[in-house]
């Protein structure tokens, strides 16, 4: 067990590519934790998709031993945080496990919204922040400007800023000294029943669920009977240990220490990030604050392109969930798409990651319906219904009104784009909040925007309209009543549930128009004219016609080559078999995918 | 109106297809087995000798009622070379009296002398690759003849005493306007052929046309093709009987070789890439000239693949092939299965197929493949 006064728990808050991983590598190297070449593999999660996207989803913790200038040896626990807004709950739990954070900013880029959002989160959690300017070796580096930005946000003295080059190692020692000097040691009560927070968990095929924990009060001993307070699950601590960064079992973790815990639990569901572990015998009176149920924000129907794959999809989702307790799903039936699942995701990125993994790792061909948020339908009888799918919207006769989730959006942009950003926000039905000049050139803007307007292509639009200079972050806000309607799309008079959508009244026409035009292009001509209509209630707001097919014959002399001709016809037939029948209309898979693709 | 019974009877006759792959230039839309003489000068005699050997290797069979020399461009051969091929067919199998002996010819090859000499060695039907009468369309199809050449060629065929003169037309070339097509149709009818074939320009994989379309050039348009087809049907009217999707003829002058293929009849195939159908087995030859010649010269069969079908597959094939005929096909088991299937019911309801007594037919020939696909998907116990 380590003397708590010699422990420093901290994480690194940084925008993607600002050098978090490189800095972590350097810290490991400097403190002699690992041989250089092993570092990346060790510290970061190795899932392909995460790597490709340049983010780490699952936080993790590494223990470093540092002999400081004062001659004492300190235990530094570097706790990794996920870098994306979709995972802000996980971020805040990881921050909860720390007393301090390094706010790392690229000297050539400056502060970005996500960094700032996480920095605010850290400040709100009472963390001590050390501003760090990285990449000072770059010719384009502007350390003074970036440092001024940081101080504008954090306040404090210019001398507080540490300048490093994670690449070359410049400034690493000053940084380690600052961690020891400026970050407080962990608090907590030693003589008290165990309370440890689970700040991360993942599923390992051999070991079952592995939790990352931070001991707040008391101590945890190997073999001890434990209780997870939120889920009221009891099990023994089969193994506890620390990551050096290789997993090293220990017999005990004391107050302020960080490590991993393995119990007999095999289902990730049963162990929740943010939960408190206590010892079953003496049991703490109350859990640590901050725990929340994982809350999906975005919903989408996932359907196997081939109806026969439904069971495979179920199995794949079950397997994915072992590793991702924030993924929720329940069976859903669509008239157009058959059997599938309505899935809830933390956000759009999460949704894409899940879909990609299902397709790539489980070899499934999926059709995903347009993402939707969770609306609340207020009925005339005073009751409220959750609406996660447009089909769930109650009939107009019983519907009083609808409210939708809003989010608090923060945008950081160069001041020249303020007008552009405001215009975009306005188009997205956003309400302007505070506006702060970080420096004369950079502005921090706050808005309330309907989540539905964000989940589509808001981020891409923001990026393209500001030439990539603006960055954004958002957090959940409240529900507000809005003038929303459901637009139904009818193919040959038959409503196609997969294409219907809840949209703001003023957007209904545009959505309907765009959809019918797209479908007319995407659906091949049939044996008869097929009307494609968009309707709100019984009112048709847009209409196109897919003209009947006129020619479907090989009008060519193909000599005696009957076999090839037959094979061609059979291949075409096979292609048709993969189409979905909507009423009498054959709709190719691609039509679903492309029509639901979000592009304006 | 062609007599359905007479058409069906052709299926029981034996035929042979001879492939002559040589062309002075390859047309941009063509995916047949072709040897471009510009790129690969070849001795015709060596090829003809190979054909003779291949024919002599074929086991004994019935005498033939139809022979078709297709290409490529068979009209580049000398009458003497064509004569050798016909003689060797006659030696091996026998040519029945009144047999149809047809050749595909490029108009520019069809001089009076050539026509006459070919007639003398036994050819009695000619299929002229006219394609269009519009210079800009011909140019875009890579053709070198002009309207006058076609007029001469038809006259030459008549003078030489051919029983059947067929004109091949292609419609729907992207540069072809409706007016241009109307003019081509009028000109073709004006030449009073007793057989007419009109093909929709088809973008075949691996052709220059297909590459151009992939790179953004316009391809044939469905509505344009349908309009032009409908115009042709109306313009020909009763002058010739519309007996197959793409073919019109004076009754009794229908192409017997083609009727054999659509009627699931049997035929021998000789030469590069040739297809045959004998004893219930479909075969195809190699498509590379050097391979073909080497195989033959080593006494090995040039067959590249074969397909034997089960009973039900054959029954389905009978129906889907037969549906190309305007007179339709005997309903039989597969026809009945189609009518009993939901898809068949839809096609019936939409008026695409019709039942006339014991014959099933496609009433909208432009949708024939839509029906064929359903037939091919039928299971025996549906
Ligand atoms: N020149 C320079 N490049 C750096 C420095 N630190 C990181 N980088 C580079 O910046 C890029 C992103 O770094 P990485 O550590 O992967 O960023 P992360 O996304 O925050 O983990 C990589 O190409 C690094 O090599 C630095 O101090 N100087
Ligand atoms: C074997 S080909 C041509 C023989 C001869 N060399 C000629 O050009 O007339 C027979 C006929 O098929 C038709 N044809 C060939 N390729 C075609 C295509 N891609 N689309 C439509 N018709 C085609 C043409 O009308 C052609 O005359």
């Amino acid at each position: 067990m380590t003397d708590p006064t010699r422990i420093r728990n901290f994480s690194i808050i940084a925008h993607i590519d600002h050098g978090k991983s490189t800095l972590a590598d350097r810290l490991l190297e400097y403190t002699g934790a690992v041989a250089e070449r092993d570092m990346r593999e060790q510290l970061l999660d190795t899932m392909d998709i995460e790597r490709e996207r340049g983010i780490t989803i699952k936080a993790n913790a590494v223990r470093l031993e540092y002999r400081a200038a004062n001659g004492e040896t300190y235990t530094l626990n570097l706790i990794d945080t996920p870098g994306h807004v979709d995972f802000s709950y996980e971020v805040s739990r990881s921050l909860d496990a720390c007393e301090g954070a390094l706010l790392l900013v690229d000297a050539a880029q400056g502060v970005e919204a996500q960094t700032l959002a996480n920095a605010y989160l850290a400040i709100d959690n009472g963390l001590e922040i050390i501003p760090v300017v990285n990449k000072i070796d770059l010719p384009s580096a502007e350390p003074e400007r970036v440092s001024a930005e940081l101080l504008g946000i954090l306040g404090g003295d210019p001398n507080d800023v540490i300048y490093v080059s994670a690449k070359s190692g410049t400034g690493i020692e000053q940084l380690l000294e600052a961690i020891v000097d400026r970050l407080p040691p962990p608090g907590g009560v030693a003589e008290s029943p165990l309370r440890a927070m689970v700040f991360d968990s993942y599923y390992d095929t051999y070991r079952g669920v592995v939790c990352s924990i931070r001991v707040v009060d008391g101590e945890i001993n190997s073999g001890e009977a434990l209780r997870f307070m939120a889920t009221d699950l009891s099990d023994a601590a089969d193994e506890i240990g620390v990551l050096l960064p290789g997993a090293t079992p220990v017999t005990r973790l004391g107050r302020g220490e960080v490590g991993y815990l393995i119990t007999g639990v095999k289902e990730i569901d049963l162990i929740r990030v943010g939960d408190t572990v206590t010892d079953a015998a003496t049991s703490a009176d109350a859990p640590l604050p901050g725990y929340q149920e994982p809350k999906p924000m975005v919903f989408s129907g996932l359907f196997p392109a081939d109806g026969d794959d439904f069971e495979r999809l179920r199995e794949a989702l079950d397997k994915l969930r072992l590793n991702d307790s924030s993924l929720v799903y329940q069976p859903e039936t669509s008239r157009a798409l058959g059997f599938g699942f309505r899935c809830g995701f933390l956000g759009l990125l999460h949704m894409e990651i899940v879909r990609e993994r299902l397709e790539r790792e489980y070899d499934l061909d999926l059709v995903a319906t347009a993402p939707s948020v969770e609306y609340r339908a207020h009925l005339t009888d005073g009751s409220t219904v959750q609406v996660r799918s447009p089909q769930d919207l109650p009939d107009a006769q019983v519907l009083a009104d609808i409210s939708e989730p809003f989010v608090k959006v923060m945008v950081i942009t160069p001041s020249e784009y303020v007008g552009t950003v405001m215009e975009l926000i306005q188009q997205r039905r956003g309400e302007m909040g505070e506006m702060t000049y970080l420096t004369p050139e950079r502005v921090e803007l706050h808005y309330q925007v309907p989540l539905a307007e964000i989940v589509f292509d808001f981020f891409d639009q923001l990026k393209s309209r500001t030439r990539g200079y603006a960055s954004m972050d958002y957090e959940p806000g409240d529900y507000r009543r809005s003038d929303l309607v459901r637009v139904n799309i009818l193919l040959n008079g038959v409503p196609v549930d997969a294409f219907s959508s809840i949209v703001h009244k003023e957007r209904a026409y545009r959505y309907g128009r765009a959809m019918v035009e797209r479908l007319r292009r995407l659906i091949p001509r049939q044996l008869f004219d097929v009307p494609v209509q968009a309707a709100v209630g019984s009112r048709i707001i847009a209409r196109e016609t897919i003209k009947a097919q006129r020619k479907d014959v090989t009008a060519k002399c193909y000599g005696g080559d009957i076999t090839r001709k037959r094979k061609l016809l059979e291949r075409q037939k096979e292609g048709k078999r993969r189409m979905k029948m909507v009423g009498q209309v054959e709709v190719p898979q691609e039509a679903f995918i492309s029509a639901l693709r979000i592009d304006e | 109106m062609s007599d359905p019974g007479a058409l069906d009877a052709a299926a029981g006759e034996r035929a042979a297809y001879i492939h002559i792959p040589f062309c002075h230039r390859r047309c941009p839309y063509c995916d047949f087995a072709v040897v471009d003489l510009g790129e690969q000068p070849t001795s015709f005699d060596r090829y003809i000798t190979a054909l003779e050997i291949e024919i002599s290797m074929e086991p004994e069979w019935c005498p033939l009622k139809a022979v078709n020399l297709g290409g490529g461009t068979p009209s580049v051969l000398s009458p003497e070379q064509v004569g050798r091929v016909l003689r060797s067919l006659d030696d091996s199998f026998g040519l029945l009296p009144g047999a149809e002996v047809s050749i595909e010819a490029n108009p520019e090859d069809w001089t009076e002398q050539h026509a006459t000499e070919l007639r003398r060695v036994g050819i009695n039907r000619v299929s002229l690759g006219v394609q269009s009468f519009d210079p800009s369309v011909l140019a875009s199809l890579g053709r070198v003849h002009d309207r006058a050449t076609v007029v001469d060629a038809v006259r030459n065929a008549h003078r030489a005493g051919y029983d059947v003169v067929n004109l091949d037309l292609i419609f729907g070339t992207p540069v072809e306007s409706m007016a241009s097509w109307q003019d081509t149709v009028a000109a073709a009818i004006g030449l009073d052929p007793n057989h007419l074939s009109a093909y929709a320009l088809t973008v075949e994989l691996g052709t220059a046309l297909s590459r151009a379309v992939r790179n953004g050039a316009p391809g044939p348009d469905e509505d344009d093709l349908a309009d032009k087809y409908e115009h042709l049907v109306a313009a020909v009217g009763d002058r010739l009987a519309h007996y197959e999707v793409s073919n019109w003829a004076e009754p009794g002058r229908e192409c017997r070789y083609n009727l054999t293929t659509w009627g699931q009849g049997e035929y021998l195939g000789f030469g590069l890439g040739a297809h045959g159908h004998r004893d219930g087995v479909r075969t195809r030859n190699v498509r590379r000239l050097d391979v073909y010649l080497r195989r033959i010269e080593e006494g090995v069969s040039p067959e590249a693949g074969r397909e034997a079908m089960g009973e039900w597959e054959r029954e389905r094939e009978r129906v889907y092939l037969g549906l190309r005929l305007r007179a339709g096909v005997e309903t039989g088991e597969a026809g009945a299965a189609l009518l009993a299937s939901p898809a068949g019911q839809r096609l019936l309801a939409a008026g695409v197929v019709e039942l006339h007594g014991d014959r099933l037919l496609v009433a909208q020939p432009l949708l024939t493949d839509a029906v064929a696909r359903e037939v091919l998907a039928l299971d025996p116990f549906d």
Side-chain angles (χ1 to χ4, degrees):
Chain A
M1 244 165 58
T2 315
D3 173 1
T5 62
R6 298 282 154 73
I7 297 177
R8 299 292 182 272
N9 296 322
F10 69 102
S11 57
I12 305 174
I13 295 172
H15 194 72
I16 289 169
D17 280 343
H18 282 206
K20 179 161 89 173
S21 321
T22 311
L23 179 62
D25 288 355
R26 229 15 34 81
L27 292 173
L28 261 73
E29 187 186 50
Y30 201 90
T31 57
V34 273
E36 204 173 328
R37 75 187 134 71
D38 293 339
M39 286 182 306
R40 210 154 257 276
E41 307 276 296
Q42 301 274 13
L43 185 62
L44 290 181
D45 210 300
T46 48
M47 266 202 312
D48 283 357
I49 294 174
E50 290 171 22
R51 271 194 179 263
E52 277 171 25
R53 289 170 189 266
I55 53 158
T56 43
I57 298 176
K58 290 294 173 197
N60 225 322
V62 201
R63 180 167 173 149
L64 314 171
E65 298 292 331
Y66 172 61
R67 201 177 148 80
N70 64 12
E72 300 284 355
T73 299
Y74 290 82
T75 295
L76 312 182
N77 290 306
L78 167 54
I79 294 169
D80 199 11
T81 51
H84 192 273
V85 284
D86 281 3
F87 307 102
S88 63
Y89 173 70
E90 274 84 351
V91 176
S92 76
R93 293 295 71 79
S94 297
L95 293 176
D96 268 354
C98 305
E99 279 75 41
L102 312 183
L103 180 53
L104 181 73
V105 180
D106 186 325
Q109 305 289 331
V111 180
E112 306 282 359
Q114 266 163 41
T115 324
L116 194 50
N118 287 341
Y120 286 152
L121 211 55
I123 295 167
D124 290 349
N125 284 9
L127 268 59
E128 183 66 34
I129 311 276
I130 301 178
V132 183
V133 174
N134 186 28
K135 306 199 191 180
I136 53 167
D137 57 300
L138 284 179
S140 55
E142 294 180 80
E144 291 74 27
R145 179 181 70 79
V146 171
S147 152
E149 251 180 46
L150 277 169
L151 294 174
I153 297 159
L154 302 171
D157 187 288
N159 293 318
D160 293 347
V161 181
I162 311 253
Y163 298 92
V164 302
S165 164
K167 194 170 174 183
S168 71
T170 313
I172 299 301
E173 179 150 14
Q174 289 92 303
L175 178 58
L176 283 163
E177 285 298 315
I179 291 169
V180 167
D181 287 346
R182 282 153 61 177
L183 301 187
V189 188
E191 317 306 312
S192 152
L194 167 69
R195 287 204 298 176
M197 186 189 53
V198 178
F199 62 88
D200 185 27
S201 71
Y202 65 93
Y203 177 79
D204 179 281
T205 331
Y206 301 106
R207 308 302 311 268
V209 180
V210 181
C211 320
S212 299
I213 55 165
R214 151 75 196 261
V215 179
V216 177
D217 299 324
E219 59 180 46
I220 182 169
N221 293 286
S222 176
E224 187 170 35
L226 301 174
R227 190 165 71 85
F228 291 85
M229 297 182 80
T231 52
D232 200 25
L233 172 85
S234 295
D235 211 328
D238 282 354
E239 180 178 325
I240 55 177
V242 294
L243 299 163
L244 296 173
T248 311
V250 297
T251 52
R252 175 185 303 178
L253 289 171
R255 176 167 68 90
E257 286 193 286
V258 171
Y260 65 88
L261 161 67
I262 299 170
T263 65
V265 177
K266 299 288 182 215
E267 291 103 72
I268 195 96
D269 252 10
L270 298 175
I271 293 183
R272 304 279 172 80
V273 169
D275 199 355
T276 301
V277 188
T278 188
D279 59 298
T282 48
S283 196
D285 297 338
L288 297 161
Y291 171 75
Q292 280 172 23
E293 297 277 334
K295 193 174 170 305
M297 302 270 275
V298 177
F299 300 84
S300 161
L302 290 183
F303 295 85
D306 178 346
D308 293 344
D309 282 342
F310 175 74
E311 276 308 321
R312 279 186 55 223
L313 175 57
R314 182 202 294 282
E315 283 161 24
L317 283 167
D318 288 348
K319 283 208 189 113
L320 273 193
R321 193 174 154 79
L322 284 177
N323 242 322
D324 181 356
S325 56
S326 50
L327 171 66
V328 298
Y329 49 92
Q330 63 192 55
E332 180 177 59
T333 313
S334 152
R335 246 196 300 175
L337 300 175
F339 295 106
F341 293 91
R342 174 120 306 235
C343 303
F345 307 96
L346 298 172
L348 276 192
L349 176 75
H350 186 214
M351 176 174 104
E352 259 175 62
I353 289 176
V354 168
R355 200 165 100 193
E356 248 180 74
R357 292 190 60 186
L358 288 170
E359 297 203 326
R360 208 191 285 184
E361 294 170 26
Y362 296 91
D363 195 28
L364 286 159
D365 207 354
L366 297 175
V367 176
T369 62
S372 164
V373 300
E374 182 172 305
Y375 295 98
R376 289 182 189 159
H378 307 287
L379 306 189
T380 44
D381 66 5
S383 63
T384 299
V385 185
Q386 281 185 353
V387 178
R388 290 181 167 182
S389 156
Q391 289 85 266
D392 299 343
L393 194 69
D395 282 346
Q397 300 94 290
V398 294
L399 191 63
D401 49 26
I402 307 173
S403 56
E404 64 178 326
F406 272 63
V407 288
K408 296 178 212 156
V409 178
M410 172 173 65
V411 175
I412 295 184
T413 176
S415 19
E416 58 195 291
Y417 294 115
V418 167
T420 316
V421 173
M422 287 187 174
E423 191 184 302
L424 173 64
I425 295 275
Q426 217 148 53
Q427 285 169 10
R428 301 306 178 100
R429 303 188 282 128
E431 280 171 31
M432 176 84 193
E434 254 176 77
M435 169 162 153
T436 316
Y437 276 83
L438 298 171
T439 63
E441 296 82 35
R442 301 250 291 171
V443 185
E444 178 187 332
L445 299 155
H446 290 265
Y447 297 95
Q448 299 268 356
V449 186
L451 174 62
E453 299 283 347
I454 299 288
V455 298
F456 290 102
D457 59 341
F458 182 84
F459 185 65
D460 294 339
Q461 283 292 317
L462 180 73
K463 282 285 173 197
S464 76
R465 293 187 192 196
T466 61
R467 296 164 177 268
Y469 283 116
S471 59
M472 68 162 279
D473 195 12
Y474 67 85
E475 57 179 290
D478 49 3
Y479 269 77
R480 299 186 185 187
R481 299 201 179 214
S482 292
D483 217 348
L484 299 167
V485 294
R486 181 177 61 206
V487 179
N488 289 324
I489 303 293
L490 295 84
L491 257 190
N492 203 29
V494 178
V496 188
D497 48 14
F499 295 137
S500 65
S501 182
I502 295 174
V503 297
H504 192 258
K505 206 168 174 182
E506 281 166 16
R507 294 290 185 72
Y509 176 74
R510 237 183 57 201
Y511 176 82
R513 191 72 248 151
M515 215 56 185
V516 299
E517 269 166 23
R518 252 182 239 181
L519 291 173
R520 183 185 48 76
R521 267 191 293 110
L522 292 168
I523 298 176
R525 297 162 72 162
Q526 316 271 318
L527 288 175
F528 44 89
D529 281 0
V530 176
V532 188
Q533 298 159 302
V536 171
S538 57
R539 196 163 53 87
I540 303 295
I541 56 172
R543 182 193 162 105
E544 288 277 335
T545 304
I546 303 166
K547 285 282 177 205
Q549 186 177 31
R550 293 186 59 202
K551 176 186 173 286
D552 182 5
V553 66
T554 314
K556 190 193 150 183
C557 151
Y558 48 85
D561 193 354
I562 308 292
T563 304
R564 188 169 91 161
K565 176 64 191 159
R566 197 196 69 236
K567 286 191 174 148
L568 176 66
L569 288 166
E570 282 170 349
R571 257 201 316 280
Q572 291 169 341
K573 178 68 194 173
E574 212 31 61
K576 282 184 180 276
R577 242 194 258 282
R578 285 201 304 272
M579 294 201 190
K580 295 270 182 192
M581 287 299 285
V582 173
Q584 302 275 49
V585 183
E586 289 173 333
V587 183
Q589 226 49 259
E590 302 80 63
F592 284 101
I593 295 166
S594 313
L596 295 170
R597 191 165 291 146
I598 316 127
D599 45 9
E600 274 189 278
Chain B
M1 176 70 192
S2 308
D3 170 15
L7 300 189
D8 286 357
E13 299 166 359
R14 307 298 164 155
Y17 175 77
I18 313 287
H19 191 73
I20 307 296
F22 308 111
C23 288
H24 286 298
R25 58 205 314 185
R26 184 188 262 283
C27 300
Y29 51 86
C30 174
D31 73 335
F32 288 91
V34 162
V35 173
D36 185 328
L37 293 168
E39 288 169 9
Q40 197 183 347
T42 311
S43 152
F44 295 169
D45 276 326
R46 188 174 168 207
Y47 185 77
I48 298 296
T49 304
L51 278 176
E52 288 172 331
I53 297 171
E54 193 190 358
I55 291 169
S56 69
M57 286 183 343
E58 181 74 27
E60 240 175 77
W61 214 41
C62 317
L64 307 173
K65 189 70 200 224
V67 173
N68 183 25
L69 276 80
T73 313
S75 56
V76 298
L77 295 183
S78 70
E80 187 265 325
Q81 288 161 335
V82 172
R84 280 171 61 191
V85 175
L86 295 180
R87 233 177 352 266
S88 88
L89 286 173
D90 196 24
D91 289 349
S92 285
F93 314 106
L95 286 175
L96 288 171
E100 168 189 285
V101 184
S102 184
I103 192 168
E104 286 174 2
N106 280 6
E108 65 272 20
D109 294 336
W110 205 247
T111 59
E112 185 168 355
Q113 186 189 353
H114 203 50
T116 309
E117 287 175 12
L118 285 173
R119 180 73 196 84
R120 210 165 283 148
V121 298
I123 304 287
N124 53 29
R125 181 181 188 278
V126 61
S127 195
L128 291 169
V130 175
Q131 324 308 0
S132 169
F133 287 92
D134 181 333
S136 66
V137 173
L138 287 169
S140 108
L141 291 176
R143 308 293 296 194
V144 295
H145 62 262
D146 59 13
R147 187 184 284 244
T149 318
V150 174
V151 174
D152 287 349
V154 171
R155 190 200 52 213
N156 296 339
H158 286 309
R159 285 200 185 147
Y162 280 79
D163 300 335
V164 179
V165 178
N166 170 55
L167 306 184
D168 272 353
L169 301 179
I170 291 184
F171 58 95
T173 304
V175 300
E176 181 185 66
S177 66
M178 191 63 190
S180 157
W181 173 242
Q182 286 165 346
D183 175 60
T184 288
V185 171
I189 292 173
L191 290 172
D192 200 22
N194 52 8
H195 197 285
L196 186 66
S197 303
Y199 303 121
L201 179 67
T202 310
V203 180
E204 300 287 356
L205 276 179
T207 60
L209 175 64
S210 143
R211 280 189 293 279
V213 169
R214 208 173 43 240
N215 292 331
D221 170 83
E222 177 178 338
D223 287 306
D224 181 57
L225 291 172
D227 289 341
K228 286 174 177 168
Y229 183 83
E230 283 166 8
H231 169 74
L232 176 66
V233 171
V236 175
D238 291 335
R239 281 174 232 263
L240 299 172
H242 188 184
Y243 73 99
E244 191 266 353
V245 175
S246 306
N247 286 281
W248 285 256
E250 268 172 20
R253 297 295 191 182
E254 298 88 358
C255 176
R256 307 209 68 86
Y257 164 72
N258 276 336
L259 286 175
T260 305
T261 63
W262 296 315
Q264 205 181 33
E266 302 216 328
Y267 47 93
L268 304 173
F270 299 109
L272 200 62
H275 294 261
H277 180 209
R278 176 173 178 173
D279 305 328
V281 179
R282 296 200 177 275
T283 57
R284 67 190 141 82
N285 278 353
V286 296
R287 274 174 72 101
R288 267 186 51 185
L289 183 64
D290 53 346
V291 179
Y292 173 77
L293 292 174
R294 198 180 57 235
R295 290 250 199 122
I296 296 279
E297 285 159 11
E298 287 170 358
V300 181
S301 158
E303 189 178 301
R306 55 172 48 216
E307 185 190 37
M309 279 177 292
E311 220 177 297
W312 177 248
E313 280 75 30
R314 289 189 66 76
E315 168 60 8
R316 286 195 310 212
E317 187 193 75
R318 180 188 70 79
V319 171
Y320 104 78
L321 283 174
L323 285 172
R324 291 192 67 92
L325 296 180
R326 302 291 289 116
V329 64
E330 273 184 39
T331 307
E333 275 184 70
L338 176 72
L339 292 172
S341 72
Q345 289 291 316
R346 273 201 299 278
L347 291 165
L348 208 54
V352 179
V353 298
E354 286 175 6
L355 192 60
H356 289 215
D358 66 342
R359 294 184 84 82
L360 186 65
L361 57 86
V362 176
Q364 298 173 32
L366 280 175
L367 299 179
T368 301
D369 283 2
V371 183
R373 275 193 288 272
E374 299 302 343
V375 172
L376 287 173
L378 291 170
D379 290 328
F381 306 113
D382 271 0

